[in-house]
């Protein structure tokens, strides 16, 4: 097995990806190394937490010197690193310049020859909102090239891993078709491509939909790479939706214009009164001091900060997976921008998919807002309560856990049988009281109560309701009395 | 002026407090230095960002050696620091042990003698939920002692600042009375005391209420110290409610039991798979490595992390004030625990007070959840729209900014005249679309629309409504037609 999953939460997971140059713990971020530019060197990347790097084989291929050196010494000695290195194929250049001077087989073989750990075929990253006919034509070429790459790798019997990118522009059906075709090809890593323009435009809803479309097709055991995504603002969402690998050129590109990454957005260095970070750069310099440092050195310092904060975010996400609090973590992060908030709230339309992935037992349920209602723990609870069988003729339901009752009524969860009131999720749920919680959280509970009462129409229920609850407990079936 | 306010946001502010040992920029955290314990020394505190320290004059007073040294060399040379130092009086010991062996005048004079920058009288920190009679009796003694301290400081003509603590247990009226009496006394810093047991029990709602009660009495120009509060989980809320100074013994106390501070709660070191931080400690060690270091050294390292992360939080808060995004910042932080969420949502009951403080012009309004509706920007907008005068007979209202209309209908803000649709707040508001926003956000808009239509009952309104909006636009007055 190339990819082994060790921990799960939401649709996210911690995994181990086996590469020719060693194991990589996912989720992780691959810093982009541009072999033409002397910036933060590959050898220094471990210090920030990098376990794997990514570089562009097309750039190496096109530059006589680099190419000769790579062919002679291999990719890893060219970059002076013993970390695994993934190589891109020129697809990015294809997207930017519309053309590349290399053929698929040629660039795949070149990546093999120089010893890339993860090879990418020359897929076509169709931009968002492309004509449907173009998107489909591009996709057909992409699929053909992926098949060719797979044949080449198999023939040579080499140990390099193969990435099978998934394209299809912003069309759900094409993304799904691309995923269907990709999963038939024997790959090791499944990148979702063509999302960078969407992320740059804060079109997070489109990216969330694309990821969910792909995940609804690709088996859970396959590692997913969200190609070109590396800004910490989106990492936790992408991981929670089941992405495992990310790559960041942002750390370097943003540093060029004094753009300082944070998990809640990008800041211009000169807008910062205080540095909102304690990384080795930000604990040594103030914002004012950084601005006084000459450009070239400052660019490296900002680039280093950008790496520190990106890997800090990766560690926070991994910690959240370990303690099964990834939903809670994401629900905080999406408050960094209203577009993130709406993008995440689309999960309410994918409850079946989420239920397939999310572990059914956790320690705690912290309510943070209406999107907490969309967690699988809630729908599973409602399902379980539907299957409860009743033997007595009369039951008590209380809105307060202090009263001893047969059932309890809770926001979000609705009817909670006494035996479920001690265990996860309803029994381990913390949420604001009815007067401070969102209407939706009470409505979902009252609707569940109504269904429950109707289902058990031959039983009688005495509901002991406190304060604000009484305002909500209206239009109940006749077999219930509110006391 | 001892305290000068330079920037404002929500009820928070950045200020400069002038002390005998120099200016301090608030909000800030005063690390507690225990002169009896050899931990992180005072001289090192600047490195973490400390601008002022706090120590306990009662401990110094009671220990023969320390006392002699303090009297001889002064407090600052005893602690080996040139930073300003506030001194507590023994009130904490009074709360813990119920008794102290010193009189108010004695400990005030001692603090003066050793050169404390901020002197605290021997106030009585009545615990939460104390008997009302006890709370009132304690408060009377506290007020008497504060008056005595003020007289002593004035008589001696010394330059030390004087803190006038506000007590009153969990009783709103006593907190207000305490604040009323305190503001009559000529003090420099106004600490809110007796809240530590509430914070320890996650009774954040009580603390928020106490702060708001006090702030409704104490003039905005007085610096407020939330005594004993230093955990980063509550700092942003406290600052947003108008607190300026904090003190942290937590950094050291928590480090003793390997408790690792984060702005979203305390973690036990052995529960951490990854360190969710990039401070000089956490960027050098992994969680596993830290656990292998011997206890004494590890305690210092965890203590250092605790300081780094606490001051990082202070810098983030200051940055948020500078860019007028403190509401947005707090609304993220309160998602760390449902008790924080409900505590903050109490601001809906204090809208007049909030409006007094919060600046009326900002750059942006990011919606994060129902508590965004409680921001003064929203109530001010609704007030302004009430005063709009109409001259034509017929008007158009559109739910989409793409249509050219006289008015626009937006969640949260409701009716937005075209000329307000380009400016803060409604014009600079980012929020999820109607299908992904909370019911409350749409309800407040539709209710405002209904009032507006009723007020202008002699005019006709044509409402162009998109998709989901149409479901909400029901039961409108007769002068409106939904198209």
């Amino acid at each position: 097995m190339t990819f082994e999953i060790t921990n799960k939460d939401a649709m996210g997971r911690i995994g181990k990806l086996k590469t020719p140059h060693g194991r990589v713990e996912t989720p992780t971020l691959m810093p982009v190394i541009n072999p033409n530019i002397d910036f933060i060197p590959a050898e220094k990347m471990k210090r920030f937490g990098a376990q794997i790097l990514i570089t562009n084989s097309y750039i190496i291929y096109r530059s006589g010197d680099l190419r000769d050196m790579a062919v002679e010494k291999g990719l890893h000695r060219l970059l002076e690193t013993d970390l695994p290195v993934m190589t891109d194929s020129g697809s990015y250049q294809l997207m930017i310049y519309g053309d590349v001077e290399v053929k698929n087989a040629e660039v795949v073989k070149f990546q093999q020859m120089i010893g890339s750990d993860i090879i990418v075929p020359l897929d076509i990253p169709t931009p968002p909102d492309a004509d449907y006919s173009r998107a489909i034509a591009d996709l057909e070429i992409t699929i053909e090239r992926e098949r060719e790459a797979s044949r080449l790798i198999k023939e040579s019997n080499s140990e390099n891993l193969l990435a099978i990118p998934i394209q299809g522009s912003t069309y759900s059906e094409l993304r799904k078709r691309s995923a269907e075709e990709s999963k038939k090809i024997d790959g090791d890593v499944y990148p979702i491509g063509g999302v960078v323009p969407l992320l740059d435009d804060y079109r997070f809803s489109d990216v969330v939909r694309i990821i969910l479309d792909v995940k609804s097709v690709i088996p859970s055991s396959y590692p997913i790479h969200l190609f070109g995504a590396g800004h910490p603002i989106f990492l936790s969402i992408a991981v929670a939706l089941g992405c495992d690998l990310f790559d960041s050129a942002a750390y370097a590109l943003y540093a060029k214009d004094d753009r300082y990454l944070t998990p809640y957005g990008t800041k211009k260095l000169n807008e910062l009164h205080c540095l909102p970070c304690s990384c080795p750069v930000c604990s040594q310099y103030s914002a004012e001091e950084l601005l006084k440092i000459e450009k070239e050195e400052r660019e490296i310092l900002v680039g280093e900060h950008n790496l520190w904060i990106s890997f800090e975010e990766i560690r926070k996400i991994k910690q959240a997976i370990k303690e099964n609090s990834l939903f809670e973590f994401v629900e905080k992060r999406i408050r960094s921008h209203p577009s993130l908030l709406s993008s995440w709230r689309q999960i309410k339309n994918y409850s079946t998919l989420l239920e397939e992935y999310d572990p059914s037992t956790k320690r705690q349920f912290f309510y943070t807002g209406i999107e907490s209602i969309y967690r699988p723990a809630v729908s599973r609870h409602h399902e379980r309560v539907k299957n409860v069988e009743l033997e007595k003729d009369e039951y008590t339901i209380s809105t307060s856990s202090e009263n001893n009752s047969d059932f309890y009524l809770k926001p979000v969860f609705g009817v909670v049988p006494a035996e479920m009131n001690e265990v996860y999720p309803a029994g381990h749920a913390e949420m604001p009281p009815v007067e401070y919680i969102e209407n939706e959280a009470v409505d979902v509970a009252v609707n569940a109560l109504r269904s429950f009462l109707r289902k058990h129409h031959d039983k009688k229920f005495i509901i002991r309701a406190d304060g604000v609850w009484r305002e909500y407990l209206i239009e109940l079936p006749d077999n219930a009395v509110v006391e």
Side-chain angles (χ1 to χ4, degrees), chain A:
Chain A
M1 281 268 292
T2 309
F3 185 58
E4 186 198 341
I5 294 170
T6 59
N7 299 77
K8 296 179 185 181
D9 197 27
M11 294 176 66
R13 56 272 187 100
I14 295 178
K16 285 199 166 56
L17 180 70
K18 215 168 116 188
T19 78
H21 283 80
R23 269 162 202 260
V24 171
E25 193 177 68
T26 64
T28 197
L29 186 68
M30 301 180 278
V32 173
I33 304 289
N34 185 331
N36 268 327
I37 296 173
D38 194 22
F39 195 53
I40 300 167
E43 52 173 319
K44 222 182 157 182
M45 287 296 173
K46 276 185 202 173
R47 208 187 141 218
F48 304 102
Q51 299 186 27
I52 173 170
L53 309 174
I54 184 168
T55 190
N56 192 307
S57 66
Y58 179 69
I59 291 178
I60 299 173
Y61 185 82
R62 292 251 300 160
S63 146
D65 286 356
L66 290 174
R67 179 177 174 164
D68 293 348
M69 218 189 301
V71 171
E72 191 190 327
K73 298 180 172 180
L75 176 64
H76 292 75
R77 284 176 61 201
L78 173 73
L79 299 183
E80 295 179 334
T81 183
D82 56 359
L83 287 174
V85 182
M86 178 172 184
T87 44
D88 196 0
S89 59
S91 296
Y92 180 76
Q93 284 68 20
L94 198 60
M95 185 170 65
I96 301 295
Y97 308 113
D99 195 20
V100 287
E101 295 166 3
V102 68
K103 289 225 159 50
N104 181 51
E106 205 177 335
V107 81
V108 168
K109 282 182 193 158
F110 179 68
Q111 291 175 73
Q112 271 192 297
M113 191 196 301
I114 62 176
S116 166
D117 287 275
I118 308 177
I119 290 173
V120 180
L122 193 64
D123 63 316
I124 303 182
T126 315
D129 316 312
D131 278 350
Y132 190 79
S133 55
R134 176 185 163 187
I136 206 167
D138 282 357
L139 182 55
E140 274 159 15
I141 299 171
T142 291
I143 294 167
E144 201 33 67
R145 289 179 181 175
E146 289 169 356
R147 288 182 185 139
E148 181 182 42
S150 174
R151 276 195 307 274
L152 288 168
I153 300 278
K154 272 186 193 152
E155 279 164 23
S156 69
N157 215 358
S158 69
E159 59 175 355
N160 323 65
L161 307 189
L162 178 63
I164 308 290
I166 292 158
Q167 296 290 350
S169 183
T170 25
Y171 299 102
S172 273
E173 58 180 281
L174 293 189
R175 287 288 180 176
K176 284 182 188 166
R177 191 202 295 183
S178 179
E180 287 290 356
E181 293 304 323
S182 293
K183 81 174 181 188
K184 292 181 201 157
I185 302 168
D186 198 14
D188 302 287
V189 170
Y190 291 77
I192 298 175
V195 297
V196 173
L198 295 170
L199 292 168
D200 286 348
D201 288 350
Y202 277 47
R203 289 175 61 182
F204 302 119
S205 286
D206 288 309
V207 184
V208 165
R209 202 176 31 74
I210 289 170
I211 297 172
L212 287 166
D213 284 340
V214 169
K215 290 294 287 190
S216 69
V217 173
I218 294 283
S220 63
S221 58
Y222 291 22
I224 301 284
H225 170 200
L226 193 63
F227 221 130
H231 195 302
I233 203 173
F234 196 70
L235 287 177
S236 60
I237 295 183
V239 171
L241 297 175
C243 298
D244 308 289
L245 289 164
F246 305 90
D247 58 286
S248 173
Y251 79 93
L253 294 174
Y254 282 47
K256 260 188 216 314
D257 330 315
D258 286 330
R259 283 182 295 162
Y260 179 101
L261 296 181
T262 84
Y264 35 89
T266 307
K267 304 280 176 189
K268 284 285 286 181
L269 196 55
N270 60 12
E271 293 165 356
L272 287 174
H273 170 71
C274 315
L275 296 178
C277 175
S278 302
C279 79
V281 175
C282 302
S283 58
Q284 196 180 343
Y285 300 97
S286 69
E288 212 176 348
E289 284 163 356
L290 268 186
L291 280 169
K292 282 184 192 144
I293 291 171
E294 59 93 25
K295 182 73 184 91
E296 204 169 326
E297 193 190 338
R298 184 170 74 235
E299 197 177 313
I300 292 177
L301 290 169
V302 174
E304 289 185 348
H305 156 80
N306 288 347
L307 284 166
W308 282 118
I309 200 70
S310 301
F311 281 102
E312 179 181 319
E313 186 68 0
I314 291 284
R315 289 196 304 279
K316 285 179 173 167
I317 294 167
K318 280 163 76 170
Q319 178 61 28
I321 294 174
K322 279 273 179 184
E323 60 190 41
N324 286 134
S325 63
L326 187 55
F327 276 112
E328 282 85 347
F329 186 79
V330 169
E331 289 167 12
K332 270 178 282 204
R333 282 293 185 250
I334 55 178
R335 261 92 195 168
S336 298
H337 196 282
S339 305
L340 292 169
L341 198 59
S342 9
S343 78
W344 180 253
R345 287 181 177 174
Q346 292 176 105
I347 63 164
K348 71 177 170 186
N349 308 321
Y350 293 81
S351 56
T352 314
L353 185 62
L354 259 84
E355 281 192 36
E356 273 174 42
Y357 277 84
D358 187 46
S360 54
T361 302
K362 306 188 187 188
R363 258 186 358 189
Q364 258 177 334
F365 182 104
F366 275 6
Y367 176 93
T368 77
I370 58 169
E371 58 285 344
S372 304
I373 307 171
Y374 313 148
R375 297 186 202 160
V378 176
S379 45
R380 287 189 194 122
H381 170 85
H382 286 291
E383 276 309 307
R384 266 196 299 271
V385 172
K386 280 183 193 156
N387 298 325
V388 164
E389 289 182 14
L390 302 188
E391 288 167 1
K392 294 197 293 177
D393 291 330
E394 195 177 298
Y395 290 89
T396 53
I397 302 180
S398 172
T399 59
S400 158
S401 288
E402 280 162 33
N403 298 327
N404 210 0
S405 288
D406 300 312
F407 295 93
Y408 298 92
L409 188 60
K410 286 196 171 182
V412 179
F413 294 98
V415 180
V416 182
E419 66 274 19
M420 292 188 194
N421 203 31
E422 301 297 324
V423 295
Y424 179 85
H428 292 186
E430 300 256 8
M431 45 193 144
V434 180
E435 53 269 50
Y436 289 114
I437 207 166
E438 285 79 354
N439 286 342
E440 285 90 338
V442 185
D443 289 344
V444 70
V446 175
N447 287 335
L449 172 67
R450 288 200 189 101
S451 307
F452 180 80
L453 295 173
R454 271 194 299 268
K455 183 173 176 199
H456 302 286
H457 53 85
D458 54 336
K459 311 287 183 187
K460 204 183 149 192
F461 296 90
I462 296 163
I463 305 179
R464 301 183 199 138
D466 289 343
V468 188
W469 266 114
R470 306 181 69 86
E471 295 169 25
Y472 287 93
L473 295 176
I474 49 172
E475 296 170 29
L476 297 182
D478 290 342
N479 56 332
V481 181
V482 179
E483 275 192 352

